[in-house]
């Protein structure tokens, strides 16, 4: 069983994906991590995330374990990591170089507890369109920029990171624009995706709705 969940930043994809993975005993792949890993790799080596040659070199050498190592960097989940990821994710060759690593994960999916399981929940921007066009269930989860910026802002504050709502909103809109206007694999729902707007929905409501879709498919 392959489930893909795409959508803009902070729409609630990650929480939903992890809850689904736990309930249906599936592995979880947060594909934003591959782009964050390249972005952080560049920054850690004093290279600008705008540097195409450097980004392609990093993507060429990226592995699953190197990505997990880079995820320990304190900037990995910060706005710095997010902006860097968004820049390298707009480079077509970088996307091409990181595609196989994402697709290969479904061949032997490993769950959180280290066990090999029967499927994957992918979370990202193009997992239903490019990474797994043959997925069993495709979801496109979205919410208004204001709602998503407020969620991210609260997340940063909870983690003790400095944050201003207006700045987060501006960054959210900037990333939306970059993610949806890039030439390679832009952010857009797959033709066969179920679109879920979570602006006025709590996670429990979203989860219940998606579980009905999965149960029906099973
Ligand atoms: O989901 P996230 O915030 O960790 O994603 C970081 C960046 O990576 C985001 O700006 C868009 C990019 N991304 C992508 O282009 N394709 C994906 N499948 C996942 C993320």
């Amino acid at each position: 069983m392959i489930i893909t969940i795409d959508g803009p930043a902070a729409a609630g994809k990650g929480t939903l994906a992890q809850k689904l993975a736990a309930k249906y005993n599936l592995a979880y792949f947060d594909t934003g991590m591959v782009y964050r890993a390249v972005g952080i790799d560049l920054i850690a080596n004093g290279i600008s995330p705008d540097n195409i040659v450097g980004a392609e070199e990093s993507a060429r050498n990226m592995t699953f374990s190197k990505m997990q190592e880079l995820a320990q960097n304190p900037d990995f989940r910060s706005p710095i990591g997010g902006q860097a990821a968004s820049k390298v994710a707009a480079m077509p060759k970088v996307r091409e170089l990181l595609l196989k690593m994402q697709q290969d994960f479904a061949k032997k999916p490993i769950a959180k507890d280290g066990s090999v399981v029967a499927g994957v929940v992918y979370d990202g921007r193009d997992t239903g369109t490019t990474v797994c066009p043959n997925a069993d269930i495709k979801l496109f989860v979205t919410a208004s920029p204001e709602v998503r910026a407020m969620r991210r802002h609260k997340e940063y504050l909870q983690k003790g990171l400095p944050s201003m709502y207006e700045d987060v909103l501006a960054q959210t809109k900037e990333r939306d624009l970059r993610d949806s206007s890039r030439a390679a694999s832009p952010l857009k729902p797959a033709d066969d995706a179920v679109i879920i707007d979570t602006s006025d929905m709590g996670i429990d409501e979203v989860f219940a709705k998606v579980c009905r879709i999965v149960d029906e498919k099973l």
Side-chain angles (χ1 to χ4, degrees), residues 19-208:
K19 279 173 83 74
L20 286 173
K23 174 163 173 152
Y24 294 99
N25 196 28
L26 301 168
Y28 167 54
F29 195 159
D30 166 10
T31 60
M33 285 181 72
V34 300
Y35 301 101
R36 285 181 186 262
V38 170
I40 289 297
D41 190 27
L42 294 176
I43 293 171
N45 286 294
I47 303 168
S48 162
D50 294 306
N51 184 320
I52 298 181
V53 175
E56 288 179 2
E57 183 63 17
S58 170
R60 198 168 286 116
N61 295 316
M62 192 53 65
T63 59
F64 204 82
S65 59
K66 189 171 179 196
M67 176 184 83
Q68 284 172 319
E69 217 173 276
L70 286 159
Q72 305 305 314
N73 186 302
D75 279 330
F76 193 83
R77 293 274 167 207
S78 77
I80 295 171
Q83 288 296 330
S86 174
K87 286 178 181 175
V88 301
M91 301 171 186
K93 185 74 186 169
V94 168
R95 300 194 73 85
E96 187 191 311
L97 289 163
L98 295 170
L99 183 60
K100 189 170 181 297
M101 181 179 150
Q102 297 171 72
Q103 291 174 330
D104 280 353
F105 186 75
K107 292 181 185 160
K108 195 186 172 192
I110 312 280
K112 227 177 171 182
D113 63 2
S115 60
V116 179
V117 288
V120 187
V121 184
Y122 280 93
D123 144 10
R125 303 292 188 286
D126 64 341
T127 64
T129 51
T130 306
V131 179
C132 303
N134 297 322
D136 302 288
I137 297 174
K138 297 182 186 178
L139 307 170
F140 190 85
V141 176
T142 189
S144 73
E146 289 74 17
V147 168
R148 290 184 288 115
M150 184 53 78
R151 287 179 189 161
R152 266 286 143 93
H153 170 61
K154 286 183 179 165
E155 239 174 70
Y156 290 149
L157 293 181
Q158 264 170 14
K159 287 182 185 161
L161 295 165
S163 181
M164 295 273 290
Y165 170 73
E166 287 71 20
D167 293 348
V168 182
L169 179 59
Q171 282 163 10
T172 303
K173 288 182 175 172
E174 189 191 323
R175 271 178 61 183
D176 282 359
L177 185 66
R178 198 182 295 130
D179 291 347
S180 50
S181 62
R182 68 178 175 228
S185 288
L187 170 67
K188 68 169 169 60
D191 291 339
D192 48 351
V194 176
I195 298 176
I196 302 174
D197 188 328
T198 68
S199 299
D200 300 313
M201 281 168 96
I203 178 63
D204 291 342
E205 200 182 334
V206 176
F207 185 54

